[in-house]
Amino acid sequence: MILFVAALLAAGAVLFILLVRQKDLPEPELISPVEHLEERKARIYDGLRDLTFEYRVGKLSEEDYQRTKAELQADLAKVQAEIEAVLKAGPAPRPVPASAPLKPAPAGELFHCLQCGAAFERPMKFCGECGQPMRGGEA
Amino acid sequence: MENLGALAILLAFTLAVYSIAASIAGKLKGRPYLVVSAERAVYAIWFLLSFASALLVYALLTDDFRLAYVAGHSNRALPVLYKFAAWWGGQEGSLLFWSWILASYAAVVVYTNRRRFRDMMPYVTATLMVTMAFFLLLIGFVVSPFKVLAVGREVIAAPDGRGLNPLLQYWAMALHPPALYLGFVGFVVPYAFAMGSLITRQPGDAWIHTTRRWTLVTWGFQSAGILLGAGWAYAVLGWGGYWGWDPVENASLLPWLTATAFLHSVMMQEKKGMMKVWNMVLVSATFILCIFGTFITRSGLISSVHSFAQSPIGYYFVVFLALLIAGTAWLILDRLDYLKSESQLESVLSRESSFLFNNLILVASCFAVLWGTLFPVISEAFTGEQITVGPPFFNRVNIPIGLFLLLLTGVGPLIAWRRSSLESLRRAFLWPVVGAAATAAVLLAAGVRHFYAVMCFSLCTFVAWTIVAEFYKGARAIRSRTGKNWAMAVVELTHRNTRRYGGYVVHMGIVLMFIGFAGAAFNRDTTEEVKIGDSIRLGAYELKIAKLDEGRNPNYSWHHAAVEVYRDGRRLDTLHPERRFYFASEQTTSEVAIRRQLNHDLYLNFAGISDQTQNAVIQVYIFPLVSWIWIGSAVLFFGTILCLIPSKIKLQYARTEVVGVARKQAPVRPS
Amino acid sequence: MKRYSKFAVLVVVIIGSLVWLALGGINESKTYYKTVAELREMGDRALDKRLRVAGDVEAGSIVRMGREVRFVLRQNDMRLTVIYDGGEPLPDTFRDGAQALADGRMSEDGVFRASKIQAKCASKYEAKPGSEPIRRISGAT
């Protein structure tokens, strides 16, 4: 009896970890190359909102408020410039996430990314593999 | 049956090793199949360990004394709750419990991130599984919970077990290890994400944002574990103390100190992109200290009243710790360029500066406590003599540290980033400082001369005032805009920014606890031999011994006193201190009688029977303000929960003019 | 770099004060850990130091005289008479045969005057070792 349960456990564990089907694999993430910069931008906006609240509530002097606001806005401009630089920069393609399997090309029309060559079944604005803007190339 | 349990553990160990290999291979060779397979192994490990734990608990609940562990930590007469709690009552079982918690955390982490962070998740999984493999190695091969008692080749069953030490048969002690473990084990998650982020050089601070809630919950459990232990010590041990600077107590405090520092310094990285190297060091140090604490507690390295026997697992821990420290240090040093700071410190009078001092002082305290705890080991290595240092050392260093920390708690939230003008400082601190000075003046006028106590109360006033002012100013602004009443305005205010205002509530809890700590400066006590009819006087109390009796039952024999409490001639209460001797474990316990009030506790301990006169020896203590420690703890947890609630306004893009770039109104980010 | 110098000065002051406090605390409380045998060896050198002596409580030797408690600490064949001044109640784990630690000073009459007693908690994490009390780690298993 115990032997049976033991065998069941061992077999179950081994089968569970080995029988991974194609559809169990996660879909490739669409990571925008500027995602972390967008997050940073959101946080600066958060900080600006906080700052305005603190000023309204009377905690900050006029001098501190204006100075900090100017600094935050300068930060914002810097981040925005960085975002635009990355989007414009084009081919220094991001390393493809390792877990993104290259889909075999199905029959029919395909849309190709001009930067890295990956193919998709529908027109995309940003390539799902390298993150660069696609220029709507057709097969 | 125990063979199934042992098998489950061995199987889990194999899967853990497989998971490490598969994650790393899958990542390096670009095979997502292996990565997913490794993640499945994590789920399988959880299942196997749940199965093994269930077997052990079943054995405990059904009094299966064939198992050495059950015989060692349970007995037939033990109440069911404590039979269950015996799961973590001894070395092997608690290591299994630890492993099960780790497996649960790992499964949750892997599941919630199964579609995200595909770049670094393989390394996160691998880090989690390395830790898992270590603990499974211990319970699989070195200290198995499923060992059976045997004579020759036959398995025997003991007639009854040794039972759980009656000192531990107290509700707080049943909860204390689970809370502590949930806290200690939990820190592997931020550490794993930090390592994953470091190895893959992730842009941005995703590892911090993702683990913010984990870190907070873990910290909350750590705090709960430590405070439950203190509450138990106070109510059960009979000497009215809640903290003795014992090595095992210190071992639980060390990671809490660095975790608190980490909770604060990540705000610097989030807002200013500073302290990146430092945060890596802190999160690693916290995790390493968690493992180190486990090591001290179980290895018998340092003698302690909690001391457990010297055990072979100590050497395994040393090796594991050495590998962890070496690996982490190499990784951080190798990627220093990736961890470059984005801003710099500008002024001593700034929020950055107060965060830095907060970190400095917490780490200094951690270092001092570590030094004091390891002093016997270090002194022996260098001088050949084993020297211990006691509470005077720890108190001398930590009391000023605590007071400085209290000051920073008031200053930090109110001071501006980068540079604070004197005008802002005046607005923020004028009234709180006045309040503090007034408190000091009142105390001094009342004749209080204890320096630290006066400082502590003044600082408590200072901090409390700043916190109340924050809530008041914010609520007033909301009221003027929305017309809500005060209570609703405060709720609205908190909901709009739960991190900030939840944090204020936590700080308020700390203030209340410090009030409780300061009360100890005014403790009073007396010890007297009494017979029926005698009276003891302490403070304003007169305590009359109304009854002294004794008896026995199958579990224990007892001595009991009924003491009537009088103040100003009026009878307030009757207290019943008792002393018991448990037969099974040959252990005496005192059932302390406490009369708890906000201003002080009246604490009675039946210390013993005098050998010469056969009179009862009763100890009476008055502990001023000690209940504020427990009240403060409750406030602290409430605040922690507030911090976890999502804010009403989440990362919306404000409509604000951006200087230097074309005016743009970015869309609201879907939450 | 001037902004850093103000900060550096403060850091040095804080750390310096803490180190000073720590050293004072060490001196105030440092206690030498000795077994009964080692204490005997120390002879007169034991008289001026704070000591923590480890041994087993000899069965039947515990005598309570008012607040004071007198007992004998044993290690193999060596005995040490200890008088505890009763400042705090004895720990519940203190009884015949328990491993105990007595903190205090040696007096000239050969009696050890203890101001604090600890007895080993009936441990959760198992087995009591043999006749040797909990000891230093170097070399011992």
Side-chain angles (χ1 to χ4, degrees):
Chain A
M1 169 61 186
I2 300 231
L3 219 50
F4 174 65
V5 177
L8 204 62
L9 271 181
V14 171
L15 287 175
F16 182 59
I17 68 173
L18 289 181
L19 293 181
V20 179
R21 299 156 298 183
Q22 180 72 12
K23 67 178 174 83
D24 293 324
L25 298 178
E27 281 155 24
E29 257 174 310
L30 297 172
I31 307 175
S32 156
V34 295
E35 177 170 334
H36 65 284
L37 291 169
E38 293 284 346
E39 266 207 41
R40 184 117 57 94
K41 206 163 89 168
R43 277 179 203 283
I44 299 179
Y45 276 116
D46 218 29
L48 273 168
R49 185 170 50 84
D50 254 358
L51 182 74
T52 316
F53 186 74
E54 290 193 337
Y55 176 59
R56 240 186 320 118
V57 152
K59 277 166 64 177
L60 291 174
S61 68
E62 177 74 29
E63 172 200 339
D64 274 349
Y65 171 62
Q66 293 301 348
R67 183 177 42 82
T68 315
K69 183 164 142 193
E71 285 168 352
L72 282 175
Q73 285 174 334
D75 280 347
L76 204 52
K78 256 199 306 190
V79 173
Q80 189 58 36
E82 244 184 275
I83 292 178
E84 295 185 351
V86 168
L87 288 181
K88 217 181 307 240
R94 260 175 67 76
V96 175
S99 58
L102 295 172
K103 291 199 177 90
E109 274 196 349
L110 290 177
F111 299 90
H112 288 269
C113 168
L114 290 183
Q115 320 294 341
C116 70
F120 303 96
E121 291 175 297
R122 14 182 282 274
M124 311 268 276
K125 284 211 169 52
F126 287 96
C127 170
E129 297 289 0
C130 68
Q132 302 305 318
M134 284 184 47
R135 279 167 195 128
E138 271 201 16
Chain B
M1 241 242 292
E2 53 281 356
N3 294 318
L4 273 183
L7 173 71
I9 294 177
L10 287 175
L11 210 48
F13 173 73
T14 320
L15 288 181
V17 174
Y18 169 76
S19 183
I20 300 169
S23 291
I24 298 182
K27 168 72 180 169
L28 291 177
K29 298 225 194 276
R31 286 194 212 254
Y33 162 84
L34 281 179
V35 172
V36 173
S37 178
E39 293 182 348
R40 288 237 178 138
V42 173
Y43 302 134
I45 290 173
W46 177 81
F47 178 80
L48 287 168
L49 287 181
S50 303
F51 181 65
S53 304
L55 284 176
L56 186 64
V57 170
Y58 179 74
L60 284 166
L61 291 177
T62 56
D63 293 328
D64 184 351
F65 293 120
R66 286 166 31 244
L67 287 176
Y69 185 76
V70 178
H73 302 281
S74 174
N75 64 335
R76 290 185 201 279
L78 203 60
V80 170
L81 169 67
Y82 298 117
K83 279 190 186 172
F84 181 77
W87 177 12
W88 53 80
Q91 177 87 288
E92 297 84 351
S94 64
L95 281 172
L96 177 59
F97 184 54
W98 177 292
S99 306
W100 179 75
I101 293 180
L102 178 58
S104 309
Y105 279 156
V108 170
V109 166
V110 164
Y111 184 74
T112 53
N113 291 299
R114 65 193 182 286
R115 297 194 208 290
R116 292 197 299 165
F117 302 124
R118 294 287 96 203
D119 202 20
M120 62 171 172
M121 275 313 286
Y123 291 116
V124 174
T125 310
T127 309
L128 291 170
M129 288 297 104
V130 163
T131 314
M132 184 92 255
F134 171 69
F135 281 95
L136 290 176
L137 179 85
L138 289 180
I139 55 176
F141 299 101
V142 186
V143 279
S144 168
F146 293 105
K147 229 169 27 174
V148 287
L149 297 172
V151 172
R153 305 202 62 175
E154 248 189 57
V155 175
I156 59 168
D160 198 355
R162 275 177 37 198
L164 188 64
N165 187 331
L167 284 176
L168 304 175
Q169 292 182 34
Y170 182 76
W171 66 270
M173 268 329 243
L175 293 177
H176 163 72
L180 223 45
Y181 288 11
L182 285 166
F184 280 174
V185 178
F187 241 89
V188 71
V189 174
Y191 173 75
F193 273 97
M195 292 297 107
S197 174
L198 200 53
I199 293 174
T200 57
R201 295 175 185 267
Q202 289 288 305
D205 299 328
W207 72 273
I208 292 184
H209 307 322
T210 304
T211 56
R212 178 179 89 85
R213 288 209 158 80
W214 270 104
T215 309
L216 208 45
V217 170
T218 298
W219 179 88
F221 279 124
Q222 276 182 356
S223 310
I226 294 174
L227 289 165
L228 281 169
W232 168 79
Y234 177 70
V236 172
L237 289 185
W239 56 289
Y242 42 81
W243 191 263
W245 296 113
D246 183 80
V248 168
E249 291 173 337
N250 297 344
S252 68
L253 186 63
L254 293 170
W256 184 88
L257 290 167
T258 53
T260 307
F262 177 68
L263 271 178
H264 289 90
S265 67
V266 284
M267 286 192 240
M268 283 256 264
Q269 184 164 345
E270 282 181 9
K271 296 230 152 65
K272 301 255 132 207
M274 290 170 75
M275 315 274 273
K276 294 187 186 186
V277 177
W278 179 244
N279 283 326
M280 279 291 166
V281 170
L282 264 184
V283 73
S284 311
T286 306
F287 175 62
I288 290 170
L289 283 171
C290 287
I291 305 286
F292 182 72
T294 313
F295 162 59
I296 293 187
T297 312
R298 294 161 189 277
S299 67
L301 177 71
I302 302 170
S303 71
S304 148
V305 279
H306 294 71
S307 181
F308 313 113
Q310 294 179 343
S311 157
I313 69 173
Y315 295 112
Y316 290 86
F317 270 99
V318 171
V319 171
F320 184 55
L321 279 168
L323 290 173
L324 269 182
I325 294 173
T328 310
W330 176 84
L331 200 55
I332 294 179
L333 289 172
D334 188 61
R335 278 148 162 81
L336 274 181
D337 58 311
Y338 160 71
L339 294 169
K340 219 166 24 118
S341 193
E342 288 165 33
S343 355
Q344 287 168 321
L345 183 68
E346 284 185 38
S347 160
V348 170
L349 285 178
S350 63
R351 196 171 296 179
E352 289 94 331
S353 170
S354 70
F355 272 124
L356 275 164
F357 280 117
N358 158 297
N359 267 229
L360 176 74
I361 211 82
L362 279 168
V363 170
S365 175
C366 179
F367 192 72
V369 173
L370 184 63
W371 179 255
T373 308
L374 290 179
F375 207 78
V377 179
I378 298 174
S379 66
E380 180 155 14
F382 282 95
T383 68
E385 308 218 73
Q386 202 180 96
I387 307 177
T388 52
V389 287
F393 167 79
F394 293 104
N395 287 327
R396 266 185 81 137
V397 178
N398 282 306
I399 291 179
I401 285 179
L403 292 176
F404 188 40
L405 209 50
L406 193 56
L407 174 69
L408 287 174
T409 314
V411 168
L414 264 53
I415 203 168
W417 288 104
R418 296 198 195 206
R419 217 166 36 251
S420 201
S421 65
L422 283 173
E423 170 68 18
S424 291
L425 289 176
R426 188 189 66 77
R427 282 170 188 241
F429 298 119
L430 180 63
W431 285 110
V433 168
V434 165
T439 309
V442 164
L443 287 171
L444 290 171
V448 178
R449 289 286 175 269
H450 193 282
F451 174 69
Y452 280 139
V454 173
M455 281 291 289
C456 187
F457 288 125
S458 309
L459 285 170
C460 286
T461 308
F462 175 75
V463 180
W465 198 302
T466 63
I467 295 175
V468 171
E470 279 288 282
F471 275 100
Y472 171 71
K473 288 178 186 165
R476 185 180 60 186
I478 291 192
R479 240 172 75 95
S480 69
R481 265 199 322 166
T482 63
K484 296 188 171 164
N485 64 44
W486 281 107
M488 289 308 297
V490 167
V491 170
E492 166 85 11
L493 177 72
T494 310
H495 197 191
R496 286 169 91 238
N497 194 341
T498 55
R499 272 182 86 176
R500 165 178 278 208
Y501 291 94
Y504 287 158
V505 175
V506 171
H507 286 173
M508 194 53 134
I510 299 281
V511 167
L512 295 177
M513 286 172 65
F514 267 77
I515 292 178
F517 296 145
F522 308 100
N523 287 348
R524 309 172 67 158
D525 69 283
T526 182
T527 308
E528 294 188 26
E529 259 186 59
V530 291
K531 35 187 206 304
I532 298 185
D534 281 352
S535 275
I536 305 178
R537 278 201 166 68
L538 187 63
Y541 289 106
E542 188 186 328
L543 302 158
K544 198 150 95 108
I545 315 295
K547 197 156 62 134
L548 279 178
D549 49 11
E550 52 188 286
R552 64 194 304 142
N553 64 38
N555 237 341
Y556 57 84
S557 67
W558 46 269
H559 288 273
H560 158 266
V563 181
E564 291 171 355
V565 181
Y566 290 88
R567 191 165 64 194
D568 304 326
R570 267 184 29 210
R571 179 156 137 197
L572 296 173
D573 208 344
T574 307
L575 296 174
H576 300 270
E578 198 176 301
R579 191 162 185 77
R580 295 182 188 170
F581 177 77
Y582 284 80
F583 303 122
S585 49
E586 297 190 353
Q587 171 76 48
T588 3
T589 69
S590 52
E591 305 297 309
V592 166
I594 311 179
R595 184 166 186 271
R596 300 182 195 255
Q597 288 179 277
L598 286 183
N599 56 345
H600 60 240
D601 280 10
L602 178 63
Y603 186 102
L604 261 59
N605 182 34
F606 198 123
I609 300 284
S610 167
D611 288 324
Q612 294 171 317
T613 60
Q614 296 301 310
N615 284 336
V617 180
I618 303 278
Q619 281 194 312
V620 184
Y621 294 90
I622 293 181
F623 293 122
L625 301 173
V626 73
S627 288
W628 287 101
I629 300 178
W630 322 122
I631 296 174
S633 313
V635 173
L636 185 132
F637 294 123
F638 178 60
T640 311
I641 293 174
L642 282 179
C643 286
L644 289 166
I645 298 175
S647 287
K648 201 174 191 181
I649 301 174
K650 286 169 55 151
L651 288 182
Q652 280 179 355
Y653 292 4
R655 288 168 204 200
T656 170
E657 193 178 319
V658 176
V659 172
V661 177
R663 195 176 306 221
K664 198 162 24 175
Q665 294 208 327
V668 168
R669 210 178 147 119
S671 31
Chain C
M1 277 301 143
K2 239 199 341 200
R3 63 173 97 117
Y4 283 126
S5 59
K6 254 197 275 184
F7 193 68
V9 163
L10 270 172
V11 170
V12 165
V13 164
I14 292 177
I15 301 285
S17 338
L18 289 177
V19 169
W20 176 75
L21 283 169
L23 289 175
I26 292 179
N27 269 323
E28 202 182 306
S29 65
K30 75 175 176 208
T31 310
Y32 290 83
Y33 179 100
K34 299 281 171 201
T35 60
V36 177
E38 288 164 349
L39 183 61
R40 195 109 318 175
E41 271 173 62
M42 278 179 87
D44 279 343
R45 283 185 307 125
L47 290 175
D48 61 346
K49 295 189 166 62
R50 238 184 320 263
L51 298 165
R52 173 178 290 184
V53 188
D56 297 325
V57 178
E58 186 165 54
S61 68
I62 304 177
V63 176
R64 282 166 222 264
M65 316 172 303
R67 271 173 71 124
E68 282 189 356
V69 178
R70 171 192 274 259
F71 63 96
V72 172
L73 267 182
R74 249 194 71 199
Q75 186 197 347
N76 301 326
D77 292 329
M78 287 184 265
R79 288 173 173 69
L80 178 72
T81 312
V82 179
I83 296 185
Y84 171 56
D85 65 17
E88 279 172 6
L90 285 167
D92 294 332
T93 42
F94 180 77
R95 54 178 186 267
D96 284 343
Q99 295 175 302
L101 296 170
D103 284 16
R105 287 179 189 273
M106 193 66 182
S107 49
E108 279 158 5
D109 56 4
V111 168
F112 188 81
R113 293 194 190 270
S115 52
K116 180 166 144 183
I117 304 281
Q118 287 172 359
K120 180 150 174 272
C121 184
S123 98
K124 307 191 297 181
Y125 292 147
E126 271 195 20
K128 282 180 58 149
S131 52
E132 270 231 21
I134 282 288
R135 276 207 52 136
R136 43 192 79 184
I137 37 80
S138 54
T141 325

